[in-house]
Amino acid sequence: MKILVSIKQVPDLESRFKLNEKGNWVVESDLAFRLNEYDEYAIEEAVRLKEKIGTDDVDITVLSIGPERVKEVIKKALAMGIDRGIYIKDNEAFSKDPFRIATIIHECVKDHGYDIIFTGMQSNDRSSCQVGVFLGELLGISTITTIIGFEYNNNVVTVKRELEGGKKMVLKCRLPLLLTCQLGLNTPRYPTLPNIMKAKKKEIKEYDVNDFDKITNNITITKLNYPEKKSKAEFLEGSVSDIAPKLVKIIKSKI
Amino acid sequence: MSVLLIGEYRENKFFESAYDLVGYAKKYNKTFEMFAVGNKGETPNIKEKLYLADSNKYNEYNPVVHKELITALVNKNNYNEIVFLHSSYGWDLAPRLAYDIGASLITGVIDIAGEEFIKPVMNGKLNAHIKPDKEKLVLTIQSGTFSYEPDRKETGEIVDYDLAVTKSPIEFISYEEAATLGVDLSKADIIVSVGRGIGKKENIKNAEELAKYLKGELGASRPIVDAGWLDYSRQVGLTGQTVSPKLYIACGISGSIQHLAGMKKSNYIIAINTDKDAPIAEIADILVVADANEVIKELTKLINQ
Ligand SMILES: Cc1cc2nc3c(=O)[nH]c(=O)nc-3n(C[C@H](O)[C@H](O)[C@H](O)COP(=O)(O)OP(=O)(O)OC[C@H]3O[C@@H](n4cnc5c(N)ncnc54)[C@H](O)[C@@H]3O)c2cc1C
Ligand SMILES: Nc1ncnc2c1ncn2[C@@H]1O[C@H](COP(=O)(O)O)[C@@H](O)[C@H]1O
C-alpha cells in the first residue's frame, strides 16, 4: 500500500506580523515557522496505519511545497515515521492560490498510484480548506473532509466526519481515497532521538516547482491589512501584583 | 443575474444558520435564488425561488450526489456567483463545485470591498483582500457574520428539483450524537476558561480553584479537550457549547473564529494573554497582557482573602 501525506509549514501565529513591500504577504525573515497543526494529525494517522498493517507492506511519502525552510517539516515527518520525502522548491508558494498548489501536487504525484492520501483540513495561516479537496478532484478519487476517526479494514475505510456542535457522520469508502484531517484525530507522537538519527538516512527527492506549475492563479491576494480595531478592549499591563487588585475590583463589579 | 445561495438541511431540518446567506445577499443588494436538498414540510421563510431536491430521494449529505445536483443547476441557469456557508457542508462541497464549473473559490469571506472579497488570515490577525480571476465565483461565508432575521410568515415559490445522479462510492452509515454533557455551561453566570497558553495540565487546577471561588464553572478551548486534559463537556465553541455568562475569563486563549462562535455573546470578557495582538482583543472588554498562570494564582489568593 502506498500512502501520501501532504504537509505545509506555517508561521507561528503568536508572532507580530509586518507586511512585505507589496503589502500582499507578511515579512518572513523574522518569523518562526512550524508544521501546520492539522498536518501533524495527518502524519500520525498514516504512521499508525503502517504500524497496524505491518511495516513491510506500507510505504509512506510526505510532500511539501515551499522555500528551503520547509525541509525542516519534511525532516520532522520522517522522524515521526514517514519513509520518504518529496520537496518541491518554490520561493513564491505564498503567492499561489490553493487550486494552483493542488495542481502542482497533482502534476508531481499523478502517476504514483497512492492508495490513501492524507492532508490537513486547513492550513493555520490561510485557513482555506481547499487544497485537499481540489487534489482529490484532480486525481478523480473519493474525498472525505474533516475526519476525527479512521479505521482501515481490507481495502475499505470507515471514517468519522465532524459536523457542527460535536455531531459526527460515519462514512464508508473503498480505496483509493483522500482524507483531510481535523484536530483531535489522534495524539501525534514526538520524534525520538534514535528516530531523528534514522530519519537522516531517508531519501528526500527534490524538484523545482517549474517542473509542475502549469496554470495561473484563480484568485489573487491583492493586499493584507490589519483588521479595523472595533475593539473596545482596555489593556492592563504591568506587574502581576499591580494588575491583580485592579482585576479583582472589576470582577467584583461584574458579578 | 441572481446569485445562487446553497441552503442546508440535516435530518429534514432546515439549518437556521443558513439565513446568514440571505443576510449576505441583502447586505450587498444581490438578488438571489436558493437551492437545497431538503423537504417540503420545512422550507425557509424567503420570498425568493427555492429549488428543492427531495432528501427522501437523495438522502443525507453525500458530496458526490450534492455536487452533481448543484453543478447541473448552475449550468442550466448560468449563475455567476454561488454562495455556501463556511460550514462542514460548505467547505466540503464548495471546492468540488468550483472544480467542476471552473470557478474561482474564496472561502471564509467576511466582507466585500469593491471587486474584492475579504477574509481573515493568520488566525484573524490580518485580513486578506482577494480578487477572483475567473468569470464564475464560488464563495463560502463565515457563519455569524451576516445575520438575518427572517419574517416567519414569508413564503415563496418552491420548484421541485429532480435529477438522475450517479451512485456515490461514499456510503453514509449513521450519525453519532455529541457526547452527552456532564456540565451545562450555558447556565453558568461565570466561566473561567483555559486554553493552550496555560502550558501544562497541572496548571488547570489553579483555574479550577479560581472558578470555584467565583462560584463559576471551568471552561476550555478545544486543544485542551483534544489533549484529554478536560472532558468534552467543558469545550466552548463551534463544536462545543455556546455560552453567554455575565463574566467570561479567557486564560491563554487566542480567540480563533471557532472559539469566539461559542462565547462572543458573553456580557463581559476578560482575556489574559501574553500576546497583546491576540485576536481575542477584538471582543474582550479587558486584555490583561501577562502570564495567565501567574495572574490566576494571584487572583485566587486575593479573592480567597
Ligand atoms: C471545524 C473546526 C471547529 C473547531 N471548533 C472549536 C471549538 O468548538 N472550540 C475551540 O476552542 N476551538 C475550536 N476549533 C479550533 C480553533 O480553530 C483553534 O485552534 C483553538 O480555538 C485554539 O485554542 P487556543 O486559543 O487555546 O490555542 P492557541 O490558538 O494556540 O492560543 C494560545 C494562546 O495562548 C497565549 N499564551 C501563550 N502562553 C501564554 C501564557 N503563559 N499566558 C497567557 N497566554 C499565553 C498565546 O499568545 C495564544 O494567544 C475548531 C477548529 C475547526 C477547524
Ligand atoms: N505548500 C503546500 N505544500 C504541501 N501541502 C500543502 C501546501 N499547502 C497546503 N497543503 C495541504 O493542504 C491542506 C489544506 O490547506 P489549505 O487549503 O491552504 O487550507 C494543508 O493542511 C496541507 O495538507
Side-chain angles (χ1 to χ4, degrees), chain A residues 5-9 36 38-39 42 63-66 93 98 101 105 118-132:
Chain A
V5 186
S6 191
I7 65 171
K8 182 178 182 183
Q9 193 190 38
N36 184 36
Y38 299 78
D39 303 351
L63 177 152
S64 193
I65 307 169
I101 295 288
I105 301 172
F118 291 102
T119 74
M121 176 253 170
Q122 63 176 352
S123 50
N124 285 126
D125 53 353
R126 286 211 229 176
S127 312
S128 303
C129 312
Q130 297 182 22
V131 171

Side-chain angles (χ1 to χ4, degrees), chain A residues 122-207:
Chain A
Q122 63 176 352
S123 50
N124 285 126
D125 53 353
R126 286 211 229 176
S127 312
S128 303
C129 312
Q130 297 182 22
V131 171
V133 187
F134 276 137
L135 179 59
E137 293 295 295
L138 286 159
L139 288 162
I141 61 176
S142 299
T143 301
I144 301 174
T145 64
T146 336
I147 66 157
I148 51 164
F150 172 89
E151 228 175 275
Y152 169 82
N153 217 321
N154 234 337
N155 282 319
V156 177
V157 163
T158 308
V159 297
K160 274 185 206 165
R161 163 156 213 268
E162 184 180 73
L163 310 172
E164 284 67 26
K167 193 164 170 150
K168 301 159 200 94
M169 197 176 205
V170 183
L171 299 167
K172 223 178 201 165
C173 192
R174 287 200 147 265
L175 307 188
L177 94 169
L178 186 146
L179 300 164
T180 83
C181 302
Q182 164 67 323
L183 305 169
L185 172 63
N186 51 44
T187 309
R189 70 195 65 197
Y190 291 102
T192 59
L193 195 57
N195 285 341
I196 293 170
M197 299 314 288
K198 253 194 259 166
K200 289 198 167 47
K201 294 199 199 73
K202 293 180 180 172
E203 175 197 38
I204 301 178
K205 269 206 180 126
E206 294 201 20
Y207 298 95

Side-chain angles (χ1 to χ4, degrees), chain A residues 11 13-17 19 25-26 34 37-38 41 97-99 121-122 124-130 133-134 137-139 141-146 148 158 160-174 182-187 217-238 240-241 243-245 247-248 250-252 254-255, chain B residues 8 10-11 15 60-63 67 86-89 91-92 95-96 98-100 102-107 116 119-134 169-179 190 196 214 222-223 226 232 238-240 246-247 249 258 267-268 270 272 274-277 281-291 294-295 298-299 302-303:
Chain A
L13 296 179
E14 282 160 39
S15 319
R16 173 151 265 191
F17 294 104
L19 303 186
W25 198 241
V26 295
R34 41 174 289 195
E37 198 180 349
Y38 299 78
Y41 298 104
D97 70 23
F99 183 62
M121 176 253 170
Q122 63 176 352
N124 285 126
D125 53 353
R126 286 211 229 176
S127 312
S128 303
C129 312
Q130 297 182 22
V133 187
F134 276 137
E137 293 295 295
L138 286 159
L139 288 162
I141 61 176
S142 299
T143 301
I144 301 174
T145 64
T146 336
I148 51 164
T158 308
K160 274 185 206 165
R161 163 156 213 268
E162 184 180 73
L163 310 172
E164 284 67 26
K167 193 164 170 150
K168 301 159 200 94
M169 197 176 205
V170 183
L171 299 167
K172 223 178 201 165
C173 192
R174 287 200 147 265
Q182 164 67 323
L183 305 169
L185 172 63
N186 51 44
T187 309
N217 276 354
N218 279 356
I219 60 174
T220 308
I221 296 183
T222 56
K223 66 170 184 200
L224 298 181
N225 61 10
Y226 301 95
E228 220 178 284
K229 288 261 175 254
K230 330 181 245 321
S231 76
K232 39 188 175 147
E234 180 190 326
F235 292 95
L236 269 188
E237 291 175 89
V240 171
S241 49
I243 296 170
L247 257 188
V248 170
I250 296 169
I251 290 173
K252 288 200 167 143
K254 296 296 162 192
I255 60 180
Chain B
E8 289 185 36
R10 189 176 299 152
E11 292 174 298
F15 251 55
E60 293 300 293
Y61 175 53
N62 188 302
K67 180 186 77 167
H86 194 62
S87 59
S88 64
Y89 182 80
W91 67 61
D92 189 87
R96 303 177 200 253
Y99 178 73
D100 266 21
S104 291
L105 170 62
I106 307 175
T107 44
E116 300 181 337
K119 73 160 293 184
V121 294
M122 306 298 180
N123 195 19
K125 285 190 170 179
L126 289 166
N127 280 338
H129 292 240
I130 301 178
K131 184 170 68 65
D133 296 318
K134 298 271 172 177
I170 299 171
E171 188 189 343
F172 172 75
I173 305 295
S174 62
Y175 282 120
E176 217 173 82
E177 296 305 320
I190 297 161
R196 187 139 51 191
L214 293 172
R222 178 164 176 159
D226 282 344
Y232 170 70
L238 185 66
T239 42
K246 283 191 202 148
L247 176 64
I249 308 181
Q258 293 90 359
N267 198 29
Y268 197 84
I270 298 175
I272 311 170
T274 41
D275 179 5
K276 199 177 172 181
D277 296 332
E282 278 299 306
I283 61 149
D285 295 276
I286 303 246
L287 179 70
V288 182
V289 189
D291 180 281
E294 285 179 28
V295 177
E298 194 65 24
L299 282 180
L302 293 177
I303 287 170

Side-chain angles (χ1 to χ4, degrees), chain A residues 49-92:
Chain A
L49 180 59
K50 182 178 167 106
E51 287 165 348
K52 187 181 162 214
I53 298 182
T55 49
D56 293 340
D57 299 328
V58 180
D59 191 80
I60 320 174
T61 304
V62 67
L63 177 152
S64 193
I65 307 169
E68 204 64 28
R69 57 170 165 77
V70 314
K71 279 192 192 161
E72 290 161 33
V73 292
I74 295 180
K75 284 180 190 151
K76 177 170 184 188
L78 296 178
M80 285 172 75
I82 303 279
D83 299 297
R84 60 194 73 250
I86 295 178
Y87 166 56
I88 302 177
K89 186 175 170 61
D90 184 3
N91 290 333
E92 305 292 318

